Amino acid sequence: MASLSQNSAPVRVFIAGGSYAGLSTALNLLDLVSGASPRMSGEAYTHVPNFEKIDVEITIADERDGFYHLIGSPLALADSKYTKKAWVKFQDIPSLQQPNIKVVIGSVTTVDCASKTVTTLDTVTKIATEHTYDFFVAASGLRRVWPVVPQSLSRKQYLVEAAEHIHAVSNAQHGVVVVGGGAVGIEMAAELKVVHPRINVTLVHSHEKLLSSEALSDECKDTTLELLRESGVTVLMNHRLSKSTRVETMDGSIKYELEFLNGHKMAASEVILAVSQPASTTAYMPATALDENNLVKINPNLTIVEGTPNAEYHFCAGDAARWSGIKRCGGAMHGGHYVAHNIHQTILRDRVPGGHQVKYSELTEFPAVIGLAVGKKAVASSPDAGTVSGEDVMQAYFRNDLGFDICWEYMQLGGMKETVVDA
């Protein structure tokens, strides 16, 4: 029996987003269509005899020119050495240098699910291009504001943007105030203090507990506060910022007067707002696929819910999907792995003569779990394991680079490792 690659036209897969979920989808699918097991699976994949290899053309579209390690932002915006590591241009990622993977530097503007066409707008030229596909994956995540993440779309401009910020915070004569005690604010304050120990860093939060918007235990929140203070950050709870006013100084230094609703006043050279809500990027999807927050409504197998044409050929993974749990890069990579598996199963269902009994991978409900880097230690919490913290937790969850190497190795962005088969 001939293989699919000999008898069928290439399967066209379009992925919107080149971050954790998008890259995970592309690379796990690449494994599957080459006859291997997906790189993120701990189990061998059972291929259909004579249909191990399938011709697939994968297009990844992202408005950035590279993979940016989002969870490394607190360190990338504090340490100039790490800044260079956190952003890798797509052309410099070995695993993407395959003849059947194409990267488009541009944003997705519209998706026509009925005709299976998607339009992209080139980041530089602003020229619109239409692409046809067999499968579409929404993996463009959420849009986060400065200074939570850099706003640059090119690595070159990002390095300038980050350098300017690092110069400002490292020369903050009157100290730095981080507003917001969520995960981002906590990590930003802690990394700033570790990298620039001589700078006074204060975190202010409007509630009586840190991580107040997350369904985490009080033990987790209290431990996080202890680690933050242990790292040298001053923490002010129940402080809601009322206004921030630039004032003149005798020596020409930058200075802001901050006033809080409780009447407290203080000064700072830099004020970092880490309180804004991220916004979905999936306005390109039809309204039938979105909820009231523009998150994509998905089934457990990550296809979009019924009501949109060709729903079973449209998937969503990562932060853009409406699913339970705290948004995490681990969940995004996990979702991308499942999308790749399910696309492969659907291809076999549609193209293997006589049919194929599909076995979809399905998400379960995600509990509220978190891993948080706080200075030189980390805290992790889950309903099953409870709360743990320490330098060993930092090594397990983040190593010394806020998880860059862990993610790089897990997705095998540097190339496939040798497969080791246990005896």
Side-chain angles (χ1 to χ4, degrees):
M1 183 179 292
S3 70
L4 278 172
S5 60
Q6 293 171 320
N7 278 348
S8 306
V11 179
R12 299 159 302 179
V13 179
F14 192 99
I15 302 171
S19 192
Y20 307 106
L23 295 184
S24 172
T25 299
L27 295 172
N28 280 286
L29 182 58
L30 200 65
D31 296 337
L32 287 165
V33 300
S34 65
S37 295
R39 62 190 63 196
M40 292 184 183
S41 176
E43 301 177 355
Y45 188 88
T46 302
H47 286 273
V48 176
N50 299 316
F51 292 95
E52 292 89 351
K53 295 187 178 181
I54 303 170
D55 280 343
V56 169
E57 295 176 352
I58 299 173
T59 301
I60 302 170
D62 197 289
E63 55 188 15
R64 294 190 180 105
D65 69 4
F67 165 68
Y68 176 65
H69 183 52
L70 180 66
I71 66 172
S73 279
L75 186 54
L77 296 175
D79 186 344
S80 57
K81 292 182 180 179
Y82 181 77
T83 303
K84 298 177 182 178
K85 181 176 183 175
W87 185 307
V88 184
K89 297 182 72 170
F90 291 121
Q91 66 191 44
D92 296 327
I93 299 177
S95 279
L96 296 183
Q97 310 316 307
Q98 308 292 335
N100 54 347
I101 292 185
K102 177 184 178 182
V103 178
V104 173
I105 309 303
S107 56
V108 173
T109 56
T110 57
V111 176
D112 188 327
C113 299
S115 66
K116 290 187 176 180
T117 57
V118 55
T119 302
T120 58
L121 189 68
D122 187 278
T123 296
V124 177
T125 67
K126 305 304 178 184
I127 294 175
T129 304
E130 187 175 272
H131 312 259
T132 57
Y133 61 85
D134 298 298
F135 292 89
F136 179 85
V137 183
S140 51
L142 301 175
R143 191 174 302 283
R144 296 169 171 87
V145 299
W146 173 263
V148 174
V149 296
Q151 301 300 293
S152 301
L153 301 180
S154 71
R155 185 176 187 274
K156 182 178 180 180
Q157 186 58 41
Y158 148 75
L159 293 176
V160 174
E161 182 183 19
E164 291 175 348
H165 177 77
I166 291 171
H167 176 76
V169 296
S170 62
N171 291 279
Q173 179 178 330
H174 306 286
V176 177
V177 171
V178 179
V179 181
V184 172
I186 292 166
E187 291 192 332
M188 291 191 79
E191 293 299 334
L192 277 173
K193 189 61 181 177
V194 169
V195 178
H196 307 287
R198 295 182 180 180
I199 300 300
N200 291 324
V201 179
T202 302
L203 182 137
V204 297
H205 189 52
S206 59
H207 296 269
E208 63 182 25
K209 296 278 188 183
L210 296 176
L211 302 164
S212 52
S213 63
E214 307 294 356
L216 297 164
S217 68
D218 283 347
E219 181 185 8
C220 174
K221 297 175 181 181
D222 293 342
T223 300
T224 301
L225 177 59
E226 291 174 9
L227 293 184
L228 193 57
R229 285 177 169 157
E230 183 182 312
S231 71
V233 175
T234 301
V235 184
L236 300 178
M237 308 300 293
N238 293 308
H239 276 62
R240 184 179 295 276
L241 183 64
S242 174
K243 63 180 179 179
S244 173
T245 307
R246 175 77 179 264
V247 296
E248 292 186 3
T249 57
M250 295 294 292
D251 59 3
S253 61
I254 296 174
K255 184 177 181 180
Y256 294 89
E257 289 287 352
L258 279 64
E259 186 173 338
F260 300 88
L261 290 182
N262 61 8
H264 180 71
K265 296 181 180 180
M266 64 182 299
S269 292
E270 293 292 324
V271 181
I272 299 175
L273 299 179
V275 293
S276 64
Q277 290 295 318
S280 175
T281 58
T282 54
Y284 52 77
M285 293 294 285
T288 52
L290 304 174
D291 71 1
E292 64 278 6
N293 296 314
N294 278 343
L295 294 176
V296 179
K297 298 179 290 185
I298 61 170
N299 299 305
N301 68 356
L302 293 104
T303 56
I304 64 176
V305 299
E306 293 183 5
T308 299
N310 295 309
E312 62 184 324
Y313 297 99
H314 294 79
F315 294 78
C316 180
D319 288 0
R322 185 182 70 179
W323 200 255
S324 58
I326 297 172
K327 304 293 188 184
R328 299 178 300 116
C329 71
M333 291 185 289
H334 177 67
H337 167 209
Y338 275 17
V339 168
H341 176 278
N342 295 341
I343 287 177
H344 189 251
Q345 286 289 304
T346 304
I347 293 171
L348 294 174
R349 181 201 69 186
D350 292 350
R351 299 202 175 192
V352 170
H356 170 72
Q357 184 63 45
V358 298
K359 295 181 180 179
Y360 287 129
S361 294
E362 295 190 344
L363 294 177
T364 57
E365 292 296 313
F366 289 167
V369 300
I370 197 169
L372 200 62
V374 189
K376 295 181 179 181
K377 298 180 180 180
V379 58
S381 182
S382 69
D384 294 334
T387 297
V388 293
S389 64
E391 293 182 3
D392 58 329
V393 178
M394 173 68 92
Q395 283 300 309
Y397 279 77
F398 300 99
R399 297 186 192 169
N400 63 352
D401 61 2
L402 283 190
F404 180 94
D405 285 349
I406 292 174
C407 293
W408 183 274
E409 293 166 10
Y410 187 50
M411 290 190 284
Q412 297 178 30
L413 295 179
M416 290 289 289
K417 298 178 180 177
E418 289 186 12
T419 301
V420 179
V421 180
D422 294 331

